[in-house]
Amino acid sequence: MYSRIRLVAKTTFLARPLFSGAATDTLKEILRKKRVPSLLQQRVDSGHPITLSELRFISKRLIRSNRHDLALQMMEWMETRKDVHFSAYDIALKVELIIKSHGLKQAEEYFEQLQSSDSLKVAKSAYLPLLRAYVKGRLVQEAEALMEKLNVLGFLVTPHPFNEMMKLYEATHQYEKVVMVIALMKRNKIPRNVLSYNLWMNACCEVSGVGAVESVYGEMVGDKSVEVGWSSLCTLANVYVKTGFVEKAKLVLESAEKKLNRSNRLGYFFLITLYASLRNKEGVVRLWEGSKSVSGRITCANYICVLSSLVKLGDLAEAEKVFEEWEDKCCNYDVRVSNVLLGAYARNGQIRKAESLHNRVLERGGNPNYKTWEILMEGWVKCQSMEKAIDAMHQAFKLMKGCHWRPSQRILLAIAEYFEKEEKIKEANTYVRDLHRLGLANLPLYRLLLRMHENIQRPASHIYEMMKLDNIQLA
């Protein structure tokens, strides 16, 4: 991570091979005591030099463990050392860590400080992480203001910031502005790269149609500074798929297959997804088998992609074969993979198969997530196994603190209607109270519970109190 740190004379940072034992011990101490500067300084003061390899190892592990705050402390400690000079890479990494640890405001303040420093070159290295954070948060005004500032500073000389703005405009459905960004790049003689052309094609599809996309593709083919690879051909094919030009899509995908990188699987799975959209099972299976010849581990994300494609094509038998292959090879049981097949069974009304798979997942040590319980809930409601659906709902409620998932209103109401039908007023009250506590109660649920109380002439003041707290009124 710190491979671009430049060393100066008499440094305590020696560029010798990593002694992993010492680095691991330091990492454990940092994670245990959560104090980076004092531990590192203590080691230096005791006469034990710290190598660049150790710093890279420790930083990488801290970031991988989502301990961005500790990684940032390490960066700040190194920044105070006179014997270390930060490269552009290090400054950019520090901005990313500030954003993750303290938020955008502090990162903006740090960027302002860099601008007021002696060298603008330092500030130039920091803007891209800040701009990417604006794009991720879909903060259009902030991103546009930063671009204005970068323009004044003379930093807009590469396609990267323009590509980020095009991503932002596409994410916020401002496709016309993507075309305006391209015009600005042309006017200022900023070269376009592969990503620039891909984003431009996507936007033209939304704004002007297939003809405009083909025109952009033609311009890309004529641009000697870029090479048309599988990603651009997939972009073009996706346009044809969306607009119904099936035969054109097939021809382009055939060309894309010839451009696949035999040392990277990524392109294979883009093509698998597109072949699934064309209902082309042969293409899906061919690319899946071809991807196995690429060196390296096939990831869970890869299995999820091919399983989803086969399920989309309705070929559950083939999907089951692929799933069994994954089960044989997996080290850690990732329920996101099994959820694909579980969802297919539930949607098809094969609840017994779904239950059997769920039990198998539990036996293999899989931990159901909110999606698992949602799938089972829907399947059990569909076949009227309501007690099982209720149990799944309670299991899902336990997981709600750690995610943004919320159950569908249709399922919530179906369970409430079951309580009404079975005249289980105690269970209905407990259920609605739970939904109220979780912020999930709504007017139809409250009406149903009021109706149950009215039918047996029971007081309902607590229901009106919950409605008042939820700011819900009877129409």
Side-chain angles (χ1 to χ4, degrees):
M1 183 156 295
Y2 293 95
S3 58
R4 296 178 69 183
I5 291 179
R6 193 173 72 237
L7 304 182
V8 295
K10 297 181 181 178
T11 179
T12 54
F13 296 85
L14 305 179
R16 60 178 169 80
L18 166 67
F19 291 94
S20 59
T24 302
D25 290 343
T26 304
L27 174 63
K28 287 178 180 176
E29 278 290 288
I30 287 172
L31 289 170
R32 187 170 65 85
K33 296 184 177 179
K34 298 178 176 56
R35 290 185 292 107
V36 179
S38 59
L39 283 169
L40 293 177
Q41 193 61 49
Q42 181 182 342
R43 182 170 166 183
V44 171
D45 292 343
S46 65
H48 295 91
I50 302 175
T51 68
L52 290 173
S53 295
E54 287 174 319
L55 291 170
R56 280 197 295 268
F57 174 83
I58 294 168
S59 300
K60 200 176 290 185
R61 288 300 180 90
L62 289 171
I63 292 169
R64 193 183 296 170
S65 302
N66 289 322
R67 293 314 308 260
H68 304 112
D69 54 336
L70 298 179
L72 178 59
Q73 287 180 38
M74 176 176 280
M75 296 287 293
E76 290 170 341
W77 178 78
M78 292 177 63
E79 201 170 17
T80 64
R81 304 287 304 180
K82 292 181 181 178
D83 42 17
V84 177
H85 178 79
F86 270 7
S87 68
Y89 175 85
D90 302 309
I91 295 292
L93 178 60
K94 184 179 177 184
V95 174
E96 287 181 22
L97 291 171
I98 291 172
I99 291 167
K100 288 174 179 175
S101 301
H102 303 297
L104 274 169
K105 183 171 174 51
Q106 197 160 320
E108 289 165 343
E109 290 171 359
Y110 180 64
F111 182 66
E112 291 297 326
Q113 290 172 21
L114 292 175
Q115 288 179 71
S116 61
S117 65
D118 295 334
S119 175
L120 276 179
K121 191 181 290 186
V122 177
K124 189 175 182 179
S125 64
Y127 79 81
L128 204 53
L130 189 57
L131 181 59
R132 283 175 178 149
Y134 290 146
V135 173
K136 185 177 179 181
R138 301 191 179 185
L139 303 172
V140 176
Q141 290 183 340
E142 290 84 348
E144 289 176 341
L146 179 59
M147 287 291 283
E148 289 288 344
K149 189 177 292 185
L150 297 175
N151 189 39
V152 171
L153 293 169
F155 289 175
L156 299 180
V157 294
T158 70
H160 306 305
F162 296 98
N163 289 346
E164 292 300 320
M165 290 306 296
M166 287 192 281
K167 287 182 197 173
L168 177 57
Y169 290 139
E170 287 202 3
T172 54
H173 308 291
Q174 300 181 71
Y175 301 106
E176 297 86 355
K177 286 190 176 182
V178 173
V179 180
M180 290 168 62
V181 170
I182 291 291
L184 182 63
M185 291 176 76
K186 288 184 174 182
R187 192 160 60 247
N188 291 290
K189 295 183 170 51
I190 305 294
R192 274 92 62 205
N193 61 17
V194 170
L195 180 57
S196 309
Y197 280 108
N198 290 351
L199 292 166
W200 188 11
M201 282 193 280
N202 280 330
C204 283
C205 178
E206 301 295 334
V207 174
S208 308
V210 174
V213 175
E214 291 175 331
S215 177
V216 173
Y217 178 72
E219 189 171 327
M220 183 183 187
V221 170
D223 188 338
K224 305 255 189 253
S225 66
V226 297
E227 181 181 350
V228 177
W230 64 261
S231 70
S232 299
L233 290 167
C234 281
T235 301
L236 181 60
N238 189 47
V239 168
Y240 287 141
V241 170
K242 288 199 295 186
T243 51
F245 290 90
V246 174
E247 293 306 316
K248 282 189 174 185
K250 287 179 181 177
L251 289 172
V252 172
L253 287 178
E254 287 174 12
S255 299
E257 283 192 50
K258 296 172 185 174
K259 299 270 188 179
L260 286 172
N261 187 337
R262 303 301 169 184
S263 61
N264 190 316
R265 284 194 181 85
L266 183 62
Y268 287 87
F269 292 92
F270 271 83
L271 266 74
I272 283 171
T273 303
L274 287 167
Y275 274 125
S277 297
L278 290 171
R279 312 293 302 170
N280 187 329
K281 178 191 166 183
E282 182 185 333
V284 169
V285 174
R286 182 175 65 253
L287 268 294
W288 167 239
E289 292 301 325
S291 75
K292 295 177 185 178
S293 66
V294 178
S295 61
R297 184 176 64 89
I298 301 176
T299 67
C300 288
N302 297 152
Y303 277 105
I304 289 169
C305 177
V306 69
L307 282 169
S308 299
S309 297
L310 291 169
V311 166
K312 185 175 183 178
L313 292 169
D315 193 342
L316 290 189
E318 189 67 32
E320 287 167 344
K321 289 179 187 175
V322 172
F323 179 72
E324 286 171 6
E325 178 186 315
W326 170 77
E327 272 196 322
D328 289 340
K329 294 179 180 179
C330 76
C331 300
N332 297 312
Y333 210 99
D334 190 335
V335 295
R336 293 176 301 171
V337 181
S338 56
N339 281 348
V340 177
L341 202 53
L342 188 73
Y345 290 149
R347 285 190 299 275
N348 289 350
Q350 297 173 292
I351 197 62
R352 290 192 183 281
K353 272 197 164 188
E355 290 174 343
S356 175
L357 175 59
H358 178 58
N359 291 331
R360 184 161 127 202
V361 169
L362 295 176
E363 287 169 7
R364 291 289 300 267
N367 292 315
N369 61 13
Y370 70 88
K371 189 65 180 176
T372 309
W373 296 119
E374 180 181 54
I375 291 166
L376 289 169
M377 261 188 283
E378 299 215 352
W380 280 322
V381 166
K382 189 173 181 180
C383 70
Q384 290 299 297
S385 296
M386 299 306 294
E387 291 300 327
K388 289 182 178 180
I390 292 163
D391 182 60
M393 177 71 78
H394 288 306
Q395 294 295 334
F397 284 169
K398 294 175 185 177
L399 301 174
M400 280 183 59
K401 286 183 181 178
C403 68
H404 298 293
W405 170 79
R406 294 294 179 268
S408 72
Q409 294 297 316
R410 179 179 58 79
I411 293 295
L412 292 177
L413 191 57
I415 291 173
E417 287 170 345
Y418 165 74
F419 288 136
E420 182 180 29
K421 180 183 175 183
E422 298 297 319
E423 299 180 352
K424 295 186 175 185
I425 194 162
K426 181 181 177 181
E427 290 84 350
N429 272 296
T430 302
Y431 177 63
V432 173
R433 277 200 190 96
D434 285 341
L435 296 179
H436 164 72
R437 178 174 51 81
L438 295 166
L440 299 174
N442 56 36
L443 183 56
L445 285 165
Y446 282 129
R447 276 181 172 161
L448 183 148
L449 191 58
L450 285 169
R451 188 164 62 243
M452 289 181 73
H453 279 68
E454 184 180 340
N455 287 342
I456 60 172
Q457 298 182 342
R458 182 177 289 187
S461 57
H462 65 288
I463 303 174
Y464 289 108
E465 184 62 32
M466 287 190 291
M467 291 175 67
K468 183 179 179 182
L469 291 170
D470 286 339
N471 199 25
I472 293 176
Q473 296 179 342
L474 287 170

